[in-house]
Amino acid sequence: MTSSAPASPATEPIVALLTEARQRTLDLIAPLSDEDLRAQHDALMSPVLWDLGHIAHFEELWLTQNLDGDIRFAEMPGMYNPFEHPRRVRGALVYPSREEAIALMGEIRARVLAKLETVDFSANHPLRRDGYVVRMVLQHEYQHGETILQTLQLKRGEPYRAPRRYAIPAVTRDFALGAMVSFPGGPVDIGTADRGEAYDNERPTHRVSLRPFSIDAAPVRNGEFAAFIDDGGYRRAEFWSDAGRAWLVETGAQAPKHWYRQSGEWHSRIMDRDGAVDPNRPVCHVCYHEADAYARWAGKRLPTEYEWEAAASWDGVTGRSRRFPWGDAPATPARANVDQLTFDTAPVGAYAENVSPLGCYGMIGDVWEWTSSDFHGYPGFDAFPYPEYSEAFFGSEYKVLRGGSWATRPGAIRNTFRNWDYPVRRQIFSGFRCARDD
Ligand code: AVJ
Ligand code: FE
């Protein structure tokens, strides 16, 4: 291959971000055998080779084919189109070898980098302006990294062994069990007008008026959740909604996913680490119904996504919303338990900066938090740049989750970010905190 011209000053940071995103993807899969990459480990998850091919083809679609002119496809045709091939059938597709998959990712990337040399990101084009489309592709790779980690937690055979780890800081702040903070009610700005990185479902900013409420100062912890179980939480119908009871009957669940009893103690396996659950870490791998039942047991309820966002972002002193609980500075592994490489939740209070103006700890990182809200477009929602990212999923069958998890990359989380899943799902790194009316 002939060497290309050096990147222009405008594309240099973008190239560095793309390179870093790819390095992380390759680091995550490095410990996996060829069989691990090809297998469908769970009906809910794709073979990792599917994610790899999909990452590459999505990038090719948006950063070569759709970069100028009309958008020809929203998702690429062929085996890596998620709508043509739903997850449960992806195990039956014919995949390239690991070497071929990685080579294809590299070939597409080389073409993308060559193309980016010629792109004018200052142009008044909604896809290119401020580099939006590149950040969309970056976030897509970040999100599939979290998806791959969900698969690895579920993987068959030998547990996944992490390639390297970030250390979790020591706990320096104490949050009393069950402590709540009060929001006085009144108008708050929800969502964002940002067009540089936000998804369409985060826009537009809109002012809502909230009634006074209290919200847990920390996510619900394993020790608290164990108390719910010990109190017959999974057996007492009064705590469960109709749909929750149906889920209980169907699954026979008695504890969060990956928990098991050993000599009278709760243990869990997180990747390749097996041991007693830490009572001070946020509970993880619970579905919406479990969160909802716990809240009822505790005499509380789940927050709406507006309440959640107000508690994470609203600065009553300045009367404006922050991008992150600590301010507008980006998420980093020092500020919050994000970026995958802790490979676990962290004890509450380990990230001293990770507190919102209202006094809520850990709203970014550790676990996605279930809210009581269905996933809908905000008033004035405008699908951009493709309806298959958000709009295709609007409706009452999905619940919104907020705040990202330990497995979320910093570039793919902020106070306004909205995730969604079915209320029965617990393959995601999901927990919750409770609220109540004041
Ligand atoms: C936002 C996490 C629900 O994984 O289905 C990845 C992200 N969209 N590729 C998903 C996504 C297209 C999406 N979630
Ligand atoms: Fe995707």
Side-chain angles (χ1 to χ4, degrees), residues 54 75 87 140 143-144 147 386 389 417-420:
H54 170 80
E75 294 274 7
R87 282 187 183 181
H140 186 254
Q143 289 184 328
H144 276 274
T147 307
Y386 68 114
Y389 180 80
F417 187 93
R418 306 168 74 201
N419 195 2
W420 64 92

Side-chain angles (χ1 to χ4, degrees), residues 69-88:
D70 292 337
I71 294 174
R72 288 185 51 218
F73 304 106
E75 294 274 7
M76 71 301 294
M79 71 180 268
Y80 297 111
N81 180 305
F83 295 92
E84 280 177 42
H85 304 283
R87 282 187 183 181
R88 67 195 137 67

Side-chain angles (χ1 to χ4, degrees), residues 323-350:
R323 286 191 64 216
F324 295 97
W326 51 82
D328 291 338
T332 65
R335 293 196 171 101
N337 186 13
V338 291
D339 209 26
Q340 306 175 335
L341 301 186
T342 58
F343 290 95
D344 202 350
T345 51
V348 166

Side-chain angles (χ1 to χ4, degrees), residues 3 15 31 33 41 149 160 168 207 237 242 250 304 334 343 363 366 382 392-393 396 425:
S3 66
V15 170
S33 70
H41 295 280
L149 285 165
Y160 177 69
I168 292 173
R207 187 155 270 223
D242 291 346
E250 192 183 312
T304 67
F343 290 95
M363 298 201 86
D366 277 309
D382 190 14
F393 300 95
S396 53
R425 290 289 195 252

Side-chain angles (χ1 to χ4, degrees), residues 124-190:
N124 193 22
H125 179 286
L127 265 185
R128 294 194 299 268
R129 190 173 54 204
D130 300 330
Y132 174 80
V133 69
V134 184
R135 246 173 252 105
M136 182 179 89
V137 166
L138 272 169
Q139 287 181 76
H140 186 254
E141 184 152 1
Y142 298 154
Q143 289 184 328
H144 276 274
E146 180 158 356
T147 307
I148 289 170
L149 285 165
Q150 293 163 15
T151 305
L152 297 181
Q153 172 64 24
L154 292 165
K155 111 179 208 27
R156 295 178 186 157
E158 283 293 293
Y160 177 69
R161 203 177 291 276
R164 60 195 168 97
R165 285 179 189 273
Y166 290 150
I168 292 173
V171 172
T172 52
R173 287 184 73 152
D174 192 43
F175 291 86
L177 291 172
M180 302 185 90
V181 293
S182 303
F183 186 86
V188 293
D189 289 329
I190 298 294

Side-chain angles (χ1 to χ4, degrees), residues 198-215:
Y199 281 103
D200 56 3
N201 67 52
E202 298 168 68
R203 290 191 297 268
T205 312
H206 55 296
R207 187 155 270 223
V208 302
S209 190
L210 297 178
R211 305 178 69 86
F213 66 94
S214 291
I215 187 164

